[in-house]
Amino acid sequence: MAKVFCIANQKGGVGKTTTTVNLAAGLAKVGQRVLMIDLDPQGNATMGSGVDKRKLEMTVYDVLLESASIAEAKTHAEKCGYDVLGASRDLAGAEVELVGVERREMRLKQALAQAGQDYDFVLIDCPPSLSMLTLNGLCAANGVIVPMQCEYFALEGLTDLVNTIKQVHANLNKDLAIIGLLRVMFDPRITLQQQVSEQLKAHFGDKVFNSVIPRNVRLAEAPSYGLPGVVFDPAAKGSSAYLEFAEEMVQRIKTM
Ligand code: ADP
Ligand code: MG
């Protein structure tokens, strides 16, 4: 059965999508069977995997509304080496359409009960909010990967996320744990970033991943080619950092 991870942080622009697609591609490169689920109505992870969200016949929306299974709604991202359960605009409506539905936060978990057997890893790219969509992700997951920039307010934002995860753990999903904090867009020349990084390690210990993702323009360019950086330019500094992170994750799940 696949290990399921949410890539979550309620802040926007912190590197969730970049982490999701590059980790997916990195895991695929080392032979893991990966499903990437895009839970953000913006569909950036879908497009960033070379799947055109405007041309999708079925998306994660159909899975949440139980009109399709994951096996029916997924597509294969050829160049990236992993499967994609895509998202498009209509996903924004799912929240409203699920109001009043019983156990609506469990829809994704239920869908994964079947599809999970086909994969080693399922990675879920969450929207920048603690919404019903994110809640579906958290209820379906074994763990949360939190990408964060080492900035002053980063620690403050973490408190809300940690509290949400604690509540979901207590009430809805006993499996859920923070797997780790991933330092992204890191620039070691900036003293503040080093300080925040040290604070993170002091506070969260081995919950901070060893891998550190540097700020690297190749990672930012890759989405416009419909590719994760790891596929677009494997030799770039940012790409090799994500490959290292993929290997760290493979080791991590052995102890889970
Ligand atoms: P989120 O999904 O949390 O909103 P994104 O992954 O979309 O964040 O990243 C926000 C922006 O930062 C994007 O333009 C992305 O290309 C860029 N970016 C992400 N990680 C890096 C990095 N390590 N180096 C340079 N740019 C990055
Ligand atoms: Mg995103």
Side-chain angles (χ1 to χ4, degrees):
M1 198 63 185
K3 290 285 180 209
V4 183
F5 299 103
C6 273
I7 293 72
N9 187 326
Q10 75 278 20
K11 280 182 72 175
V14 292
K16 289 182 291 297
T17 299
T18 305
T19 296
T20 307
V21 298
N22 280 286
L23 177 58
L27 288 168
K29 276 203 178 194
V30 294
Q32 302 291 311
R33 298 169 304 161
V34 183
L35 171 67
M36 193 284 290
I37 301 179
D38 191 351
L39 262 190
D40 189 337
Q42 291 186 65
N44 292 344
T46 305
M47 298 295 280
S49 304
V51 174
D52 191 340
K53 62 182 178 184
R54 292 155 303 197
K55 293 187 181 147
L56 283 174
E57 269 170 42
M58 283 185 277
T59 66
V60 67
Y61 171 85
D62 300 279
V63 171
L64 291 174
L65 292 176
E66 292 183 341
S67 58
S69 68
I70 290 177
E72 289 164 341
K74 67 151 205 278
T75 51
H76 188 63
E78 204 78 32
K79 290 179 189 158
C80 306
Y82 54 85
D83 282 351
V84 172
L85 180 58
S88 59
R89 274 280 153 64
D90 54 7
L91 182 57
E95 185 119 6
V96 177
E97 287 170 61
L98 286 172
V99 166
V101 171
E102 237 176 275
R103 287 168 61 82
R104 63 197 151 131
E105 69 281 354
M106 296 296 180
R107 289 292 176 101
L108 193 61
K109 184 187 174 75
Q110 281 158 10
L112 277 170
Q114 292 170 26
Q117 286 157 20
D118 301 332
Y119 302 99
D120 301 306
F121 281 88
V122 176
L123 303 180
I124 305 172
D125 187 29
C126 289
S129 62
L130 300 172
S131 62
M132 179 55 57
L133 292 171
T134 300
L135 196 55
N136 259 275
L138 293 176
C139 285
N142 302 107
V144 186
I145 295 168
V146 184
M148 55 185 303
Q149 285 173 260
C150 291
E151 287 173 346
Y152 183 67
F153 288 115
L155 290 167
E156 208 167 283
L158 218 50
T159 315
D160 294 337
L161 183 63
V162 169
N163 285 337
T164 303
I165 291 168
K166 275 187 190 155
Q167 282 191 13
V168 173
H169 173 86
N171 301 308
L172 296 164
N173 179 4
K174 288 270 167 290
D175 280 352
L176 191 68
I178 292 191
I179 300 302
L181 307 175
L182 178 66
R183 291 161 286 172
V184 299
M185 298 189 226
F186 192 73
D187 185 344
R189 293 167 302 184
I190 300 175
T191 310
L192 176 66
Q193 294 209 2
Q194 281 180 355
Q195 286 169 348
V196 173
S197 177
E198 289 309 314
Q199 280 173 11
L200 276 180
K201 281 197 274 187
H203 200 270
F204 291 96
D206 61 7
K207 290 271 179 204
V208 182
F209 288 111
N210 294 326
S211 311
V212 179
I213 313 299
R215 184 172 283 284
N216 178 211
V217 70
R218 299 299 269 171
L219 292 174
E221 287 167 356
S224 61
Y225 297 87
L227 293 172
V230 161
V231 179
F232 173 61
D233 184 356
K237 254 183 11 188
S239 304
S240 54
Y242 271 117
L243 282 167
E244 193 187 312
F245 178 48
E247 273 163 23
E248 189 175 354
M249 280 302 296
V250 172
Q251 294 307 317
R252 275 285 169 118
I253 67 159
K254 286 183 185 158
T255 60
M256 276 175 76

